[in-house]
Structure formats: structure tokens, C-alpha cells
Amino acid sequence: MGRAPCCDKANVKKGPWSPEEDAKLKGYIEQYGTGSNWIALPQKSGLKRCGKSCRLRWLNYLRPNIKHGGFSEEEDNIICSLYISIGSRWSVIAAQLPGRTDNDIKNYWNTRLKKKLLGRRKESNMNRFSTMGAKDANGIEDNSYSQSLSSSALERLQLHMQLQTLQKPLSNFYNNPALWPKLHPLQEKMIRSLQYSLNENPSPLWQHDFPSPQPGQGQKVNFCEPGATGAIIPEGFAKISNTKANELDNSLHFTPSSDNSMAFVTGNNLMDSSSTYDPKADVMEQPNVLGVEVSAFQSELDDFLNNKTMVFVPQEDQVAGFDCLREINSSKDGVIWWSNDFDRKSSTSNSWDSTSVLQTDQPMFQDYELCYNL
DNA sequence: AATCCCAACAACCGCGTCTCA
DNA sequence: ATGAGACGCGGTTGTTGGGAT
């Protein structure tokens, strides 16, 4: 038994909207608003359309300040970066691009960007796999790796590979705050309130005035902090301490790296075996911060992809900084993927979480080939 | 000129989530 | 606590226009 139709399918018009219909819908909404009821709107406005169709038409086409086409290179980069990180959460991606709709971005990705980035690569991969295939530990050829990956995950991994090579070290995204997702006003408010609740000086993400931490000394801060390099962590790449989150009101902790180039670590971040937790200071001490430190992650990823032994075995609740490297947790055929624990419930609030699980010592892709430019 | 093919975009559909009575 | 209705999202399909044959 299916669900009841949202409207009388026999009496609603389908297909492209006429200028008259557009004018009618636009005029009605501008005068009366949507009334928080799209289902009833067509009847009230005199349109012979499904409420959902009206909503879509308004959101994707008629509402003010909508941009169509003409995606800039910066927008391309943002879309790629976010797609790699969070996948096809088009509404979240659209929230970072004012004037763009999820539908528009989705279409743009499917028809242009994806091909631009992956088209030649797919050919290359097909040739490689068809002629040689991957080899397992016994040297037996096995194409199951690629076949066992979801297309989305594969795309994201491929794209990440490209960006990794293109961006040393991913400078485009990580060192360019303009490309980072904007904080939702509510998120800003939340962070501010957390800071005040801890009686510490405000040092929000959107400010660059935080003092540099002292090397080797764990410090507790309210939010991820630019180290000496000035790098700050985009919202969503921060993760609260797993063990102390409740006590600490989601505050974050960092320890500067030995060269003071990075100052970010939390209880949930990717840790190597030398990490220690200082219960008094409630700080995770770690000589080499991995979690979101870009070059460290790259090295990690290189090792990973080159089938070297991982330097750590993360707990289930530990995370890495890159969402692109997670999705599938099914290890049925020995291929372990990354789980994407993006909280779908938050998808409507423009927030995104980048926690991930990296748990494998299995060989993965070793394909670093770079075929194209953005 | 006619036909085919394909890219681009608009719109639809199904389903999960949310809201509210 | 529960269920119905509405909303929002993402995948898919349909339409159109331009270029190639």
C-alpha cells in the first residue's frame, strides 16, 4: 500500500511552466506569502499545479536573488571541495553559495563539473583495470576494489586524489577562508555563548586574533585556533572532545604541534599511538597532530594508499578530518570504507560535521594519476 | 534538409523527516 | 505517544536546443 498522493494527479498540470503561471505564482507569493502550506497554495492562487511543483518552481526559479548559470571558478572549487567532503548533500552545498539552488548545483555537477573532473580519469581507470587489475596480497588480480565502491564514494576518492596533487597541501581550500563554509548565525551564536560560558576571551572562528599557543603545552580553547601559520579550521572540521564533551560544553582542545605550525587537536581527532590524554588538563597531548593538519593527513593518506601499515588503529569514535575518505563501512569482501556519519538531521540547518572513521590496514587505491585541471 | 545524438536544464517522484493535533 | 499531513531532499526522468552526420 503506497502513500496517498499529495494532490489530484488527474487535475494538475505537469511539465514546463508558462510565463502566465510564473506570474501568477510570483504575484501570489509576493502578496500573501506561502502561508506555510504549499499544498493549499495552488488552490488559493488559482494554479492548476501540484503544491510541490509550485514550491520547486518558486525555490528554484522565481524567488528573488536566484542566480542561473555562469558558475565562477571559485564556486567550482567550493562545490568540488564540499562534494568531496560531504558528498551529494546539495542543499548543504547550496547553503554555502548564495543565490544558488541545490537543484542548480546538482545539475551543474552532473552535467559539467563531474565530467570535467572525472571524465578522462574514468577512461584511464577503465584501461588500467581492464588490462592489469588490482592485485591482492597474494598477487592475484582483483578488480573487486573498484567494483565494491559506491560510485559516489569512488568519485569522491578520485576527486580527493586529484585535489591532493593539485593542492599542496590543499592550500586552495584550507588556506583560503573565503572557500570555507560560512557559519550559520545560530552556530555563531552557539559558539559565542559557549565562550562566554567558559569565561574566556571570545576567539571565534571568524576572528584571527587568537594568541599563538606554546609548543608542547596543551591548551584548552573554545574553538580551533590558528597556529603560527594562521591556518584555521573550517567549521565542521572541528570536533568536540569525545570523552569530555558533556563536561566541557562542547569546547575544543588543542595542542600545538612541535614546530608550532598547527594547533588543533581534540579527543575525537585522528590520533597516533603517541597521543596521551592528560586528565588534569583535559587535554590530548600529541607530538604530531594528525586530525586536520593538512600535511600530516596527506602523509597519512599517502601511506594508506601505498599500502603501508597505518600508524594507528583508531577507536570507533575517533575521527579523521576528511569526509571524502569515508563512506562505506561494509567490509564484506575485505574492503573497508569510511563511514559517513554526517548528521542528516542537521542538513537543514546548514551545518555539516566532518567526523569520520578510518579503520583499515587494507590496500586501497594507489592511483594518484592526475589527468586534469580544475 | 532531415535525422540522430547529446548536453543542459527543468521538473517530477519517492521517501525520510518534521510538525502538530 | 502516535499518526496524518506537510516539507525538504536527492535521484531520476523529460524536454529542448544545438551540433554532427
Side-chain angles (χ1 to χ4, degrees):
Chain A
M1 202 171 119
R3 87 171 34 196
C6 61
C7 55
D8 181 4
K9 302 286 182 189
N11 291 321
V12 296
K13 185 170 176 246
K14 290 169 71 174
W17 281 65
S18 67
E20 291 76 23
E21 287 177 308
D22 281 347
K24 202 178 251 186
L25 178 62
K26 197 173 181 194
Y28 181 87
I29 291 177
E30 281 173 354
Q31 190 170 357
Y32 303 106
T34 65
S36 300
N37 190 340
W38 285 105
I39 304 298
L41 188 143
Q43 203 174 11
K44 291 178 183 171
S45 63
L47 284 161
K48 291 187 186 308
R49 289 276 181 175
C50 171
K52 290 174 79 171
S53 180
C54 293
R55 175 184 165 270
L56 214 59
R57 186 65 181 171
W58 172 255
L59 292 177
N60 289 338
Y61 207 83
L62 296 176
R63 77 183 149 109
N65 304 320
I66 291 290
K67 285 190 275 184
H68 291 289
F71 281 82
S72 67
E73 199 165 324
E74 186 185 352
E75 286 176 313
D76 286 0
N77 285 332
I78 293 173
I79 294 168
C80 288
S81 299
L82 289 176
Y83 181 85
I84 288 166
S85 178
I86 64 177
S88 57
R89 312 278 155 70
W90 303 117
S91 60
V92 180
I93 294 173
Q96 313 306 324
L97 298 170
R100 300 294 185 187
T101 69
D102 54 354
N103 204 42
D104 217 18
I105 293 169
K106 179 175 59 182
N107 285 331
Y108 182 58
W109 171 263
N110 285 331
T111 58
R112 297 196 197 178
L113 267 185
K114 187 165 71 175
K115 289 170 189 170
K116 189 174 165 185
L117 290 163
L118 293 175
R120 288 165 58 190
R121 181 175 200 86
K122 277 179 178 171
E123 281 177 29
S124 167
N125 282 345
M126 281 176 69
N127 290 338
R128 289 187 56 179
F129 279 112
S130 64
T131 54
M132 55 185 283
K135 290 189 177 180
D136 67 11
N138 298 318
I140 299 169
E141 291 192 359
D142 179 9
N143 291 343
S144 64
Y145 290 134
S146 63
Q147 290 166 357
S148 64
L149 304 178
S150 76
S151 57
S152 170
L154 183 59
E155 277 175 17
R156 289 160 65 193
L157 178 60
Q158 289 175 332
L159 289 168
H160 176 78
M161 290 301 126
Q162 290 165 45
L163 290 180
Q164 185 188 19
T165 311
L166 277 171
Q167 305 168 358
K168 296 279 186 183
L170 297 173
S171 54
N172 231 20
F173 183 71
Y174 286 92
N175 293 341
N176 186 355
L179 299 183
W180 297 347
K182 292 179 177 59
L183 284 176
H184 189 283
L186 288 175
Q187 293 171 320
E188 293 184 3
K189 193 176 174 183
M190 182 186 75
I191 292 165
R192 283 201 175 98
S193 72
L194 283 173
Q195 289 170 333
Y196 286 119
S197 73
L198 289 170
N199 296 319
E200 295 189 13
N201 294 328
S203 178
L205 179 64
W206 54 92
Q207 290 178 357
H208 291 252
D209 58 354
F210 203 88
S212 296
Q214 295 303 307
Q217 292 181 356
Q219 288 182 244
K220 180 171 142 183
V221 297
N222 290 332
F223 210 75
C224 49
E225 157 55 18
T229 60
I232 56 179
I233 311 303
E235 186 277 324
F237 283 81
K239 186 68 184 177
I240 61 170
S241 161
N242 190 49
T243 56
K244 292 284 187 178
N246 292 335
E247 293 176 31
L248 298 168
D249 289 331
N250 294 350
S251 64
L252 298 173
H253 312 264
F254 74 87
T255 298
S257 56
S258 53
D259 63 357
N260 204 23
S261 64
M262 180 59 205
F264 178 76
V265 64
T266 81
N268 257 359
N269 270 313
L270 189 61
M271 298 296 175
D272 66 19
S273 56
S274 62
S275 301
T276 58
Y277 177 68
D278 178 357
K280 285 185 180 175
D282 189 25
V283 161
M284 189 69 79
E285 295 283 87
Q286 183 180 358
N288 299 305
V289 178
L290 296 177
V292 276
E293 202 277 322
V294 173
S295 58
F297 176 78
Q298 260 189 250
S299 156
E300 190 96 356
L301 183 62
D302 287 346
D303 289 348
F304 178 58
L305 290 161
N306 282 311
N307 195 21
K308 294 178 186 172
T309 304
M310 299 299 287
V311 295
F312 74 104
V313 179
Q315 301 302 307
E316 196 164 320
D317 57 359
Q318 289 178 318
V319 299
F322 282 79
D323 284 4
C324 61
L325 300 181
R326 58 183 160 92
E327 177 165 358
I328 303 164
N329 206 14
S330 62
S331 53
K332 191 171 59 178
D333 31 8
V335 177
I336 301 177
W337 259 95
W338 298 272
S339 72
N340 191 336
D341 57 359
F342 175 83
D343 182 5
R344 284 179 172 274
K345 286 180 182 175
S346 67
S347 62
T348 56
S349 61
N350 299 344
S351 65
W352 46 289
D353 189 4
S354 291
T355 58
S356 61
V357 177
L358 189 58
Q359 39 176 246
T360 181
D361 54 6
Q362 300 288 330
M364 275 301 296
F365 276 81
Q366 300 185 19
D367 183 2
Y368 292 84
E369 193 176 355
L370 178 70
C371 303
Y372 10 64
N373 296 312
L374 279 169

